[in-house]
Amino acid sequence: MSIIDQIIAGDVRATARLLRDIDDQVPSIYPLLKELYPHTGKAYVIGLTGSPGVGKSTLVDQLATRFRQEGLTVGILAVDPTSPFSGGAILGDRIRMQRHFLDPGVFIRSLATRGHFGGLTRSTNDMINVMDAMGKDIILVETVGVGQDEVEVANSAHTTLLVTIPGMGDEVQAIKAGIMEIGSIFVVNKADREGSRKTVRELRNLIELGLRRKEDTTWEPLIVQTEALKGVGIEDLYQAIMKHRAYLFDNENGQLDSILMKRARSQLIEILRDEALKAILGRMEAQGMSLEDLSRRIRNKESDPYTIVHEVLERELK
Amino acid sequence: MSEERKLRILIAKPGLDGHDRGARVIARAFRDAGFEVVYTGCHQTPEQIVHTALQEDVDIIGLSILSGAHTYSFPRVMELLKENKAEDITVIGGGIFPLEDIPKLKAVGIKEIFEPGAKLEEIINWVRTSVKPRQALQA
Ligand code: B12
Ligand SMILES: Nc1nc2c(ncn2[C@@H]2O[C@H](COP(=O)(O)OP(=O)(O)OP(=O)(O)O)[C@@H](O)[C@H]2O)c(=O)[nH]1
Ligand SMILES: [Mg+2]
């Protein structure tokens, strides 16, 4: 059986190894990704983002359980940060997902950011495609949750969950600062803690403010309170996701098309940027132009980075 | 730009043993050595450990155990790896072991055992020289 056939048949080892190669950007992945692509497009992708420790992994665990009850298979991609000092990483999201380790209907992959900004990894979109091609019905993507602008996941997911917790005044401020727009659903997790209702009220106000600024006002983001640790509110969250899904698939609104276009466009730009850079660097090297020498010229103020880049592009893109 | 291939390691604690300090110390040391460490926490069955190792495509499994229950879990992990045709994954152990158990564990295929007081440098060097990241798939 070819690797492609093995992956489509759901073979764990073959899939896991391809995911590794994608992460490492091994050139041999491209023919495989091309062959897998026609088999994608069936999975429903749900992104979860929010600050460190708000309970994203615990929610992923609960949602996986809920989707399994529907008989759906689940792929999970969970991102943790790479240490900028060593390049290594501790990937600990799995700790919260232990009960799914033996379920053949759940495939979990832990990923390290490897210097990529935006909350995901350079490889996440390709990995979503592979999990999709291997037949996972639902793909849950947990972002690294470091800052305030991990909006990237919204370009990959059908439904984006913005997770927050009560009593973090700053938290709501952070949402205001930028990622408000990407949330299809707002989750106030750890609702067992004091101030949950207040946080819901604050969010509701922000959503109303935000709606006035948004072009697309046909979807009003939902707010759901959960206690992920105990499984409270998970049914509400599940129903909210289903509601958003129904909205996307509703022909009159046609929002599915705009989501898929957004995803195609962001993936296109991402690959184009990488491949163009790779090609140009390769040709520069072939001509004996080293980055080292060019950097030296900039460092010594013999030239400037703007001039050099434009010179290189003029020569290479002719 | 083919990235440098990173070593991927699973650190797992089999059985009911709650001593996780050593496992955490080791996980951090491996991260600081530039490896990607999947950490799954305590109370793992050998089945869970092997499933995780396969899904995460790790090159090496490090089992940490201080409770004395290694005589069941270590051989069982090796057995399951064989069943899944994954004997290429290196397995090492750390924690507390009666002296006479160590040759038995090595006989079932555990490559190395590190006991309390083992220097982190020594452990990292062993891994660096003994385990190489798995080769890429051939298209
Ligand atoms: C701290 C400690 C505890 C803490 C644990 C805190 C925690 N979260 O880890 C607490 C107080 C909770 C505890 C409880 C118990 N403990 Co206790 N505990 C210890 C103690 C004193 C130190 C362990 C430790 O943390 N060392 C520091 C770490 C960094 O070292 P390490 O784990 O050995 O790891 C090093 C190496 O072993 C190796 N290594 C370890 N794992 C791995 C993995 C890999 C992949 C690699 C490469 C290397 C590696 O590298 C590390 C660095 O050198 C030991 C005695 C001892 N001196 O070892 C007893 C000891 C382990 N405990 C023991 C016992 C019996 C218990 C209890 C059952 C006591 C009781 N009756 O309640 C409970 C059980 C708890 C449970 N749920 O399992 C016994 C175990 C006896 C046995 N094996 O037969 C010991 C040996 C004490 C004794 N002499 O009797 N304990
Ligand atoms: N009190 C309370 N604690 C919770 C709840 N949900 C999760 N937690 C705890 O919050 C801590 C963090 O949970 P995770 O699921 O690991 O959070 P995360 O957002 O994935 O964290 P990172 O991946 O590190 O960003 C854990 O100790 C959980 O047990 C909840 O509903 N209530
Ligand atoms: Mg997490």
Side-chain angles (χ1 to χ4, degrees):
Chain A
M1 234 206 294
S2 74
I3 293 165
I4 297 291
D5 293 338
Q6 286 176 320
I7 290 168
I8 291 166
D11 182 272
V12 170
R13 197 109 216 260
T15 307
R17 296 191 58 188
L18 177 59
L19 296 182
R20 172 92 172 265
D21 290 353
I22 291 172
D23 227 4
D24 292 343
Q25 298 286 299
V26 177
S28 62
I29 60 176
Y30 291 107
L32 296 173
L33 288 175
K34 283 177 197 169
E35 248 188 280
L36 285 173
Y37 199 77
H39 299 276
T40 65
K42 296 182 291 284
Y44 195 81
V45 184
I46 301 168
L48 292 94
T49 191
S51 299
V54 293
K56 298 180 292 297
S57 300
T58 316
L59 282 165
V60 165
D61 170 71
Q62 293 285 0
L63 286 173
T65 303
R66 185 61 188 83
F67 284 112
R68 291 297 289 139
Q69 282 168 8
E70 297 296 313
L72 298 170
T73 57
V74 177
I76 297 172
L77 293 167
V79 186
D80 268 323
T82 292
S83 154
F85 304 107
S86 70
I90 295 180
L91 311 174
D93 291 321
R94 261 183 182 268
I95 296 175
R96 320 272 169 229
M97 308 174 192
Q98 292 189 2
R99 60 177 158 162
H100 300 292
F101 287 4
L102 291 182
D103 180 351
V106 179
F107 189 119
I108 308 173
R109 182 60 164 227
S110 313
L111 297 171
T113 50
R114 298 192 178 182
H116 185 90
F117 296 105
L120 300 180
T121 69
R122 165 63 187 85
S123 54
T124 306
N125 284 317
D126 297 334
M127 293 198 179
I128 288 173
N129 283 339
V130 173
M131 286 189 159
D132 188 345
M134 87 182 285
K136 293 291 175 259
D137 300 312
I138 303 289
I139 299 174
L140 298 165
V141 182
E142 176 183 342
T143 75
V144 67
V146 273
Q148 302 178 5
D149 35 41
E150 343 61 36
V151 295
E152 202 178 42
V153 69
N155 290 330
S156 306
H158 292 93
T159 299
T160 303
L161 311 183
L162 212 61
V163 188
T164 182
I165 53 173
M168 279 173 78
D170 296 351
E171 185 68 10
V172 174
Q173 286 306 114
I175 289 174
K176 197 158 66 180
I179 56 179
M180 193 68 202
E181 280 74 16
I182 68 160
S184 335
I185 298 167
F186 290 78
V187 185
V188 180
N189 189 40
K190 309 199 186 184
D192 49 302
R193 290 199 185 166
E194 209 178 311
S196 179
R197 286 258 207 60
K198 181 162 169 271
T199 304
V200 171
R201 269 201 310 277
E202 286 172 352
L203 280 172
R204 188 156 292 136
N205 289 338
L206 282 171
I207 287 170
E208 273 164 26
L209 276 174
L211 275 180
R212 272 184 236 137
R213 270 184 282 126
K214 266 168 72 168
E215 296 158 35
D216 164 33
T217 52
T218 54
W219 173 257
E220 185 168 343
L222 299 169
I223 305 173
V224 182
Q225 299 183 64
T226 58
E227 295 173 35
L229 209 50
K230 291 203 208 113
V232 177
I234 300 304
E235 187 56 31
D236 295 344
L237 179 55
Y238 172 79
Q239 294 301 340
I241 293 169
M242 286 301 120
K243 206 167 158 193
H244 186 246
R245 183 173 179 281
Y247 157 77
L248 289 183
F249 281 82
D250 172 3
N251 291 327
E252 263 176 55
N253 288 312
Q255 290 305 312
L256 184 64
D257 181 64
S258 93
I259 291 235
L260 295 181
M261 280 297 287
K262 201 165 67 174
R263 186 198 290 177
R265 188 188 153 86
S266 77
Q267 211 175 2
L268 187 61
I269 288 176
E270 191 173 57
I271 297 168
L272 193 60
R273 191 197 295 127
D274 280 10
E275 293 297 303
L277 180 61
K278 214 189 292 182
I280 289 173
L281 286 176
R283 282 161 69 168
M284 284 167 70
E285 199 182 303
Q287 293 167 18
M289 269 164 58
S290 83
L291 280 183
E292 187 69 23
D293 292 343
L294 295 176
S295 308
R296 177 63 58 195
R297 277 176 55 202
I298 297 168
R299 153 81 181 78
N300 291 344
K301 296 250 154 70
E302 291 157 24
S303 184
D304 63 81
Y306 319 104
T307 307
I308 290 186
V309 167
H310 285 130
E311 276 173 14
V312 167
L313 286 186
E314 219 157 275
R315 204 168 29 236
E316 297 304 333
L317 294 183
K318 252 198 314 247
Chain B
M1 274 140 289
S2 187
E3 283 205 22
E4 141 205 40
R5 210 150 167 91
K6 291 221 158 82
L7 202 69
R8 282 176 72 88
I9 304 192
L10 169 63
I11 299 293
K13 287 200 51 65
L16 296 174
D17 178 21
H19 294 91
D20 62 354
R21 207 180 280 167
R24 286 170 186 277
V25 167
I26 292 293
R28 232 169 292 136
F30 282 155
R31 176 198 64 195
D32 294 342
F35 308 152
E36 286 185 355
V37 185
V38 178
Y39 181 63
T40 50
C42 297
H43 310 317
Q44 298 288 289
T45 64
E47 285 76 9
Q48 288 179 312
I49 291 168
V50 170
H51 275 239
T52 298
L54 296 179
Q55 291 184 355
E56 298 284 355
D57 197 47
V58 296
D59 304 294
I60 165 166
I61 301 175
L63 301 171
S64 178
I65 192 158
L66 282 79
S67 70
H70 51 268
T71 44
Y72 165 71
S73 55
F74 280 40
R76 182 71 186 133
V77 166
M78 299 312 296
E79 217 171 87
L80 288 166
L81 285 175
K82 193 170 282 172
E83 272 173 31
N84 286 282
K85 299 197 180 59
E87 298 108 310
D88 56 317
I89 300 176
T90 303
V91 182
I92 60 176
I96 295 176
F97 306 89
L99 215 57
E100 66 272 20
D101 283 359
I102 293 176
K104 289 183 206 155
L105 295 177
K106 290 201 170 163
V108 298
I110 309 287
K111 283 275 163 15
E112 196 51 271
I113 297 284
F114 297 93
E115 291 177 275
K119 288 225 166 40
L120 297 176
E121 263 175 55
E122 179 197 326
I123 297 172
I124 288 162
N125 278 334
W126 186 93
V127 171
R128 280 225 174 91
T129 48
S130 316
V131 189
K132 296 285 171 258
R134 184 174 295 110
Q135 292 229 315
L137 289 167
Q138 293 306 310

